[in-house]
């Protein structure tokens, strides 16, 4: 077994044991193991030529990665088990205080393996946090995102262009339906007239998020979130800052046994928080100042249960950036759209097999575009 994996398991086990000993008894700590095994087979058709094997776009749909590689073949097939994940959770009640430790790993996004012989990929941390009563500290989903509203798609993210999607380290306080967090800041900027993305961790002001979760009498669940952030670049002779903000409204509405899921998001300077950083938070002008970029995104998904074992989800998703072309240049990403339809079958509750068709299209301000058509077959067993 991979040494990093053994190290991660040993660290979590020692942490759980230490928590239990501190409480005075192993019986006081509830330790659980979870996750799933998932196998994907993807037949993909890239309009401009497929990215090379191992490219992120070959693992799942990422807006901005499907423009293609001229000269490469358009049709490819990929087999992978990289989405498989596992997690450990330790929960204890100590002197009337609930303490939880959680760590989760999978094998996605890495380029440190290959498909030639062993298909060996390193585990990565998805989540790692500790909570104490109403307080949480560590890496988990940004408070700005509502992961419970994501559609049931076979693609790893699903509706990637229409949803906020970030996991990062934060400090969060929850009281009833209210959540407040200070989260890791990172600024992504487009150089003046275009070029390679500038990623900056400059500045000392964390991203601040507030969210309110509420429900209706018919069982519908909603979340309203707002974020404020400083955009800051202080490198290579550039010293500039600006303010960014955004709002997002999401929900899950039951329709009999079926359900309707949605998210709608708007922001000025949201950048990496939307569509997997398809557009940057801002762009530099001729004076070296940051001009924030407005963006809009959303998705809607309806899941229909044919019976207790068969179900179908239909999803449409989209993103649009309001670029200042005289600043960003014509190569800036303009919009992205995707649509999905699937058929899933669970012969027993923990096992699901299914097929999904997706179509995605991306375009830049200069009119250059690309599209991806993919048929995805999956088998998933929940541990």
């Amino acid at each position: 077994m991979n040494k990093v994996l053994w190290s991660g398991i040993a660290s979590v086990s020692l942490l759980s044991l230490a928590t239990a000993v501190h409480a005075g008894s192993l019986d006081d700590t509830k330790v659980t193991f979870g996750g799933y095994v998932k196998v994907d087979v993807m037949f993909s058709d890239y309009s401009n030529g497929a990215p090379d094997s191992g490219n992120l776009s070959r693992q799942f749909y990422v807006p901005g990665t499907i423009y293609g590689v001229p000269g490469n073949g358009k049709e490819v097939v990929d087999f992978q088990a990289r989405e498989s994940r596992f997690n450990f959770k330790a929960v204890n009640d100590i002197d009337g205080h609930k303490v939880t430790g959680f760590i989760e790993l999978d094998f996605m996004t890495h380029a440190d393996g290959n498909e030639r012989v062993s298909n060996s990929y390193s585990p990565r941390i998805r989540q790692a946090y500790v909570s104490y009563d109403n307080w949480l500290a560590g890496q988990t989903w940004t408070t700005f995102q509502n992961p419970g509203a994501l559609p049931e798609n076979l693609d790893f993210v699903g509706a990637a262009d229409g949803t906020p999607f970030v996991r990062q380290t934060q400090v969060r306080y929850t009281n009833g339906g209210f959540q407040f967090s200070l989260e890791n800041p990172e600024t992504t900027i487009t150089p003046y007239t275009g070029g390679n993305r500038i990623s900056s961790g400059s500045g000392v002001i964390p991203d601040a998020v507030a969210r309110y979760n509420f429900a209706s009498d018919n069982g519908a669940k909603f979340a309203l979130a707002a974020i404020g952030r400083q955009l800051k670049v202080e490198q290579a002779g550039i010293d500039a800052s600006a303010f960014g903000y955004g709002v997002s409204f999401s929900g899950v509405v039951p329709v009999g046994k079926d359900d309707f899921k949605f998210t709608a998001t708007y922001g000025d300077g949201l950048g990496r928080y939307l569509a997997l950083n398809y557009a940057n938070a801002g762009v530099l002008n001729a004076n070296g100042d940051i001009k924030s970029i407005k963006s809009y995104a959303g998705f809607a998904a309806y899941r229909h249960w044919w019976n207790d074992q068969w179900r179908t989800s239909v999803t449409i998703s989209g993103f649009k950036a309001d670029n200042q072309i005289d600043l960003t240049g014509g190569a800036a990403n303009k919009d992205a759209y995707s649509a999905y339809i699937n058929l899933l079958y669970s012969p027993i509750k923990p096992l699901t097999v299914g097929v999904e068709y997706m179509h995605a299209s991306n375009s830049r301000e200069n009119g250059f575009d690309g599209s991806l058509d993919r048929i995805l077959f999956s088998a998933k067993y929940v541990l």
Side-chain angles (χ1 to χ4, degrees), residues 294-365:
K294 292 183 174 67
S295 54
Y296 317 77
F299 71 82
Y302 188 86
R303 180 172 60 174
H304 173 66
W305 289 82
W306 302 103
N307 55 42
D308 290 340
Q309 296 178 315
W310 294 86
R311 59 198 182 275
T312 292
S313 288
V314 178
T315 305
I316 55 173
S317 175
F319 170 94
K320 187 178 187 307
D322 188 8
N323 294 301
Q324 297 175 258
I325 305 177
D326 58 323
L327 299 181
T328 62
N333 290 326
K334 178 183 178 182
D335 51 40
Y337 301 96
S338 61
Y340 312 74
I341 183 169
N342 61 37
L343 179 63
L344 309 182
Y345 171 61
S346 297
I348 55 176
K349 188 174 181 180
L351 177 65
T352 297
V353 295
V355 58
E356 178 171 278
Y357 169 72
M358 68 161 289
H359 172 78
S361 63
N362 297 173
S363 64
R364 294 173 176 166
E365 293 289 355

Side-chain angles (χ1 to χ4, degrees), residues 128-132 134-143 168-174 179-185 206-210:
Y129 63 82
V130 59
S131 66
Y132 177 79
N134 295 349
W135 290 92
L136 177 147
Q139 177 165 308
T140 187
W141 300 100
T142 174
T143 311
Q168 61 191 4
T169 303
Q170 60 193 271
V171 176
R172 179 192 296 173
Y173 176 74
T174 301
Q179 294 181 309
F180 305 93
S181 65
L182 296 177
E183 307 191 8
N184 182 66
D207 294 353
V209 183

Side-chain angles (χ1 to χ4, degrees), residues 151-165:
E152 188 183 23
N153 288 352
L154 297 183
D155 181 71
F156 177 58
V157 177
D161 34 32
T163 183
F165 194 93

Side-chain angles (χ1 to χ4, degrees), residues 21-66:
V21 170
H22 176 74
S25 170
L26 287 171
D27 294 335
D28 293 336
T29 300
K30 181 180 180 181
V31 179
T32 56
F33 168 83
Y36 57 76
V37 176
K38 185 168 183 275
V39 180
D40 297 319
V41 180
M42 298 175 288
F43 295 87
S44 305
D45 186 347
Y46 293 83
S47 63
N48 298 324
D52 294 332
S53 177
N55 184 280
L56 199 61
S57 179
R58 300 279 292 267
Q59 298 178 36
F60 60 99
Y61 168 53
V62 179
T65 68
I66 68 171

Side-chain angles (χ1 to χ4, degrees), residues 56-84:
L56 199 61
S57 179
R58 300 279 292 267
Q59 298 178 36
F60 60 99
Y61 168 53
V62 179
T65 68
I66 68 171
Y67 290 113
V69 178
N72 281 5
K74 295 182 178 181
E75 298 176 349
V76 292
V77 60
D78 291 287
F79 287 63
Q80 68 174 20
R82 297 174 62 156
E83 189 183 325
S84 302

Side-chain angles (χ1 to χ4, degrees), residues 8 109 153 180 196 204 222 236 241 261 290 309 331 345:
T109 73
N153 288 352
F180 305 93
N196 293 331
V204 296
F222 303 97
S241 64
K261 297 183 176 182
I290 298 174
Q309 296 178 315
Y345 171 61

